[in-house]
């Protein structure tokens, strides 16, 4: 429960900050051009609000809604998600959005996206300035990698040390490494101390590589105990730090990765268990353990979650991380470069959304919230906030009515043709766009529920 609350608090704080600044971008340009803003809200106040106030001599009501689906800045004389058609029937006033030149209206509409994008670049820059860039170079992972069957079909072998592709060397083990391999025609490796290369088609399915179980490639971790959790099956059979698992159910184990894969196969048996006896049988395994140069064979019953209860050494414990530090002036271009790379990667990955597997990968509030760490970590909080800011900027600029990008599309049409779309058309387009957004939100959050229930 504590983990859930910490993640919720991080998610709510990040979203509140991003919505506030996004709507603040619209607000800034509206005020700059003398457009009246009737309401400025974080979250939606459908039917009622949690808090609101209107300063003396101000036209704007500020508040916090109860529905955490974003926020809005109600600009006078504009067709938006408030669907205030009565105002549009009145004569045009000089302080209204519709009375302003097209270029001013365009800046008002892109203000939110602009702020979110600049905010992300600023946060990334400050992360690099304050924490630097700490990572483990892939070429330094001398134990090599563990590959699945698809990777082995292309010529990879367990223990291969990854160096780079025909395009560039690998940096760290992250989604970028998968992306680089998926686009590579050649991957350079070191195998048994000898440099060699593996030919690839250059168009591997990135989503498939990431979703495969086991995944396409993982850092190889030794099946050596680093610590044992008290009260667990591992503690009950006397496992100690330094013990090495050699086999499970007569299957030799060459790594902790293989041990986890074998437990995954037990999960399939557990799911098909019909009786308590079947369940107990699925959870009972035979282990061969090397302890103080002696081999012991023992039977052990795993927890209902198929856990043994020990921890192996982390990557940062096996390999020495590298830290690149940045001065204040150095951090700005580095942060801009990093943020632009994040945006480009996200846009490139959008092509998978239109596939069947991509649609299943859509996530709602639960999926986004789970990206935050289970403990409060300011580094990860700001990194996730910057990432969400980029997503918010990109999603809002999509040419969908009801989003900023939809309004921008119609304004560009007006600038090119010198003709304004009719108000009736704009209202209908807003309804259609709003319906599309609701549908996407339902699908994304339904996916979260189905994943939680184990159907996805």
């Amino acid at each position: 429960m504590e983990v859930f609350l910490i993640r919720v608090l991080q998610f709510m704080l990040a979203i509140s900050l991003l919505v506030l600044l996004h709507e603040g971008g619209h607000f800034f340009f509206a005020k700059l051009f003398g457009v009246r803003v009737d309401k400025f809200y974080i979250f939606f106040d459908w039917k009622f609000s949690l808090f609101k106030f209107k300063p003396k001599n101000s036209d704007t009501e500020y508040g916090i809604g109860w529905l955490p689906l974003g926020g809005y800045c109600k600009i006078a004389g504009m067709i938006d998600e408030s669907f205030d058609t009565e105002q549009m029937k009145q004569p045009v006033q000089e302080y209204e959005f519709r009375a302003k030149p097209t270029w001013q209206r365009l800046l008002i509409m892109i203000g939110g996206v602009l702020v979110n994008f600049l905010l992300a670049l600023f946060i990334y820059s400050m992360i690099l300035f304050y924490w630097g860039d700490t990572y483990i170079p892939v070429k330094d992972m001398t134990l090599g990698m563990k590959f699945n069957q698809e990777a082995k079909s292309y010529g990879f072998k367990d223990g291969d040390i990854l160096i780079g592709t025909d395009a560039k060397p690998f940096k760290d083990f992250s989604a970028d490494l998968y992306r680089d391999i998926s686009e590579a025609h050649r991957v350079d490796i070191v195998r048994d101390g000898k440099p060699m290369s593996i030919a690839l088609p250059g168009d591997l399915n990135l989503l498939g590589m990431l979703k495969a179980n086991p995944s396409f490639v993982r850092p190889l971790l030794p099946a050596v105990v680093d610590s044992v959790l008290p009260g667990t099956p591992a503690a009950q059979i006397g496992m100690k730090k330094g013990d090495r698992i050699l086999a499970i159910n007569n299957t030799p184990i060459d790594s902790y990765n293989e041990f986890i894969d074998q437990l995954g196969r037990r999960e399939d048996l557990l799911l098909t268990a019909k009786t308590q006896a079947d369940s107990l049988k699925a959870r009972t395994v035979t282990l061969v353990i090397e302890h103080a140069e002696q081999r012991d064979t023992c039977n052990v019953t795993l927890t209902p979650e198929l856990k043994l209860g020990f921890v192996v050494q982390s990557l940062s414990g096996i390999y020495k991380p590298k830290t690149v530090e940045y001065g204040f002036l150095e951090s700005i271009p580095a942060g801009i470069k990093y943020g632009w790379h994040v945006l480009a990667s996200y846009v490139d990955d959008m092509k998978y959304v239109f596939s069947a597997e991509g649609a299943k990968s859509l996530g709602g509030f639960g999926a986004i919230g789970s990206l935050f760490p289970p403990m409060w970590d300011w580094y990860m909080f700001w990194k996730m906030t910057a990432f969400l800011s980029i997503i918010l900027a990109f999603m809002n600029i999509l040419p969908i009515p009801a989003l900023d990008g939809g309004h921008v599309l119609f304004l560009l049409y007006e600038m090119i043709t010198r003709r304004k779309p009719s108000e009736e058309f704009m209202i209908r387009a807003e309804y259609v766009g709003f319906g599309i957004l609701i549908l996407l939100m339902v699908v994304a959050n339904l996916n979260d529920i189905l994943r939680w229930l184990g159907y996805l």
Side-chain angles (χ1 to χ4, degrees):
M1 186 64 180
E2 182 182 354
V3 168
F4 173 75
L5 289 176
I6 289 174
R7 280 180 164 153
V8 168
L9 286 173
Q10 290 181 90
F11 173 66
M12 293 301 292
L13 179 58
I15 289 297
S16 299
L17 176 65
L18 296 180
V19 169
L20 175 67
L21 294 177
H22 177 91
E23 299 304 330
H26 295 306
F27 184 88
F28 170 78
F29 282 106
K31 288 296 187 180
L32 181 65
F33 300 130
V35 176
R36 193 177 77 189
V37 178
D38 295 326
K39 299 176 78 172
F40 184 95
Y41 266 72
I42 298 176
F43 306 150
F44 290 107
D45 60 329
W46 182 63
K47 298 296 184 181
F48 68 94
S49 61
L50 299 177
F51 168 79
K52 64 180 178 181
F53 78 100
K54 189 173 184 180
K56 189 177 180 180
N57 301 322
S58 174
D59 296 317
T60 307
E61 176 184 296
Y62 301 89
I64 300 175
W66 64 272
L67 191 60
L69 300 180
Y72 70 99
C73 185
K74 188 177 183 304
I75 297 172
M78 175 184 166
I79 298 171
D80 58 13
E81 59 268 25
S82 67
F83 299 109
D84 186 0
T85 56
E86 290 302 316
Q87 186 183 63
M88 303 304 293
K89 295 176 182 178
Q90 305 301 318
V92 178
Q93 304 295 323
E94 62 176 9
Y95 58 77
E96 290 185 330
F97 177 82
R98 54 182 170 169
K100 301 302 177 180
T102 313
W103 67 271
Q104 291 185 4
R105 285 181 278 141
L106 183 63
L107 284 175
I108 292 171
M109 291 317 307
I110 66 173
V113 168
L114 182 63
V115 166
N116 279 133
F117 185 60
L118 293 178
L119 173 67
L121 299 183
F122 174 75
I123 293 176
Y124 281 132
S125 297
M126 292 304 98
I127 286 175
L128 293 175
F129 171 64
Y130 189 82
W131 283 285
D133 185 14
T134 300
Y135 62 97
I136 300 170
V138 174
K139 64 181 179 61
D140 292 348
M141 296 183 184
T142 51
L143 294 177
M145 297 287 163
K146 185 77 175 174
F147 300 90
N148 68 6
Q149 289 304 313
E150 181 191 3
K152 289 176 180 178
S153 71
Y154 291 110
F156 290 105
K157 290 181 65 176
D158 291 340
D160 287 348
I161 301 171
L162 297 176
I163 303 299
T165 69
D166 49 315
K168 59 182 178 181
F170 295 122
K171 180 188 175 186
D172 57 357
F173 189 84
S174 63
D176 284 337
L177 180 138
Y178 281 84
R179 185 175 290 104
D180 292 343
I181 292 177
S182 72
E183 298 171 352
H185 290 90
R186 188 194 78 238
V187 174
D188 299 324
I189 64 169
V190 172
R191 179 179 296 168
D192 299 327
K194 298 178 181 178
M196 59 183 299
S197 297
I198 292 176
L200 292 178
D203 59 352
L204 297 181
N205 185 291
L206 176 60
L207 185 61
M209 292 169 66
L210 290 167
K211 293 193 70 175
N213 187 22
S215 55
F216 190 89
V217 56
R218 297 159 290 166
L220 193 149
L221 294 172
V224 177
V225 177
D226 186 59
S227 61
V228 177
L229 304 178
T232 61
Q236 292 167 10
I237 62 174
M239 288 184 72
K240 291 181 174 59
K241 181 173 182 175
D243 288 358
R244 180 185 294 271
I245 299 177
L246 300 178
I248 178 171
N249 292 338
N250 298 318
T251 301
I253 298 297
D254 63 0
S255 62
Y256 180 66
N257 313 75
E258 183 64 29
F259 175 75
I260 294 300
D261 293 345
Q262 290 297 324
L263 290 188
R265 294 186 176 95
R266 308 302 296 179
E267 187 174 1
D268 294 336
L269 294 175
L270 190 61
L271 289 173
T272 57
K274 296 181 179 179
T275 66
Q276 188 173 0
D278 291 339
S279 176
L280 186 63
K281 183 178 179 181
R283 290 166 50 203
T284 302
V285 296
T286 301
L287 299 178
V288 178
I289 302 172
E290 185 179 67
H291 172 66
E293 299 183 357
Q294 293 183 345
R295 294 190 179 188
D296 295 325
T297 301
C298 59
N299 293 325
V300 59
T301 301
L302 305 172
T303 68
E305 297 80 21
L306 294 179
K307 301 293 184 184
L308 186 54
F310 72 95
V311 178
V312 298
Q313 205 168 15
S314 65
L315 282 177
S316 59
I318 299 173
Y319 306 110
K320 184 179 179 180
K322 175 182 178 182
T323 298
V324 180
E325 296 183 348
Y326 294 87
F328 181 77
L329 294 180
E330 293 174 313
S331 69
I332 296 174
I336 292 173
K337 181 180 179 181
Y338 185 86
W340 187 258
H341 171 71
V342 171
L343 175 63
S345 300
Y346 184 76
V347 173
D348 184 59
D349 293 346
M350 283 297 291
K351 61 178 176 284
Y352 295 107
V353 172
F354 302 101
S355 66
E357 281 300 311
K360 293 178 184 178
S361 299
L362 286 174
F365 299 121
I368 297 172
S370 67
L371 296 175
F372 287 92
M375 295 184 295
W376 199 282
D377 182 331
W378 282 111
Y379 171 79
M380 287 305 300
F381 170 80
W382 287 117
K383 196 168 184 179
M384 277 305 307
T385 300
F387 179 61
L388 291 179
S389 193
I390 280 184
I391 292 177
L392 187 60
F394 175 74
M395 296 302 292
N396 263 284
I397 205 62
L398 291 176
I400 299 174
L403 291 178
D404 296 343
H407 292 282
V408 168
L409 179 66
F410 295 135
L411 285 169
L412 292 175
Y413 168 81
E414 182 182 338
M415 293 176 76
I416 294 170
T417 64
R418 305 290 183 182
R419 292 192 309 170
K420 252 187 190 181
S422 69
E423 289 182 1
E424 183 181 356
F425 171 81
M426 293 292 287
I427 291 171
R428 289 181 177 178
E430 195 78 12
Y431 276 113
V432 170
F434 201 73
I436 292 172
L437 295 181
I438 293 296
L439 178 62
L440 288 173
M441 193 172 297
V442 168
V443 170
N445 285 284
L446 181 60
N447 281 351
D448 283 351
I449 295 172
L450 292 175
R451 271 190 288 268
W452 181 66
L453 294 174
Y455 291 106
L456 275 183

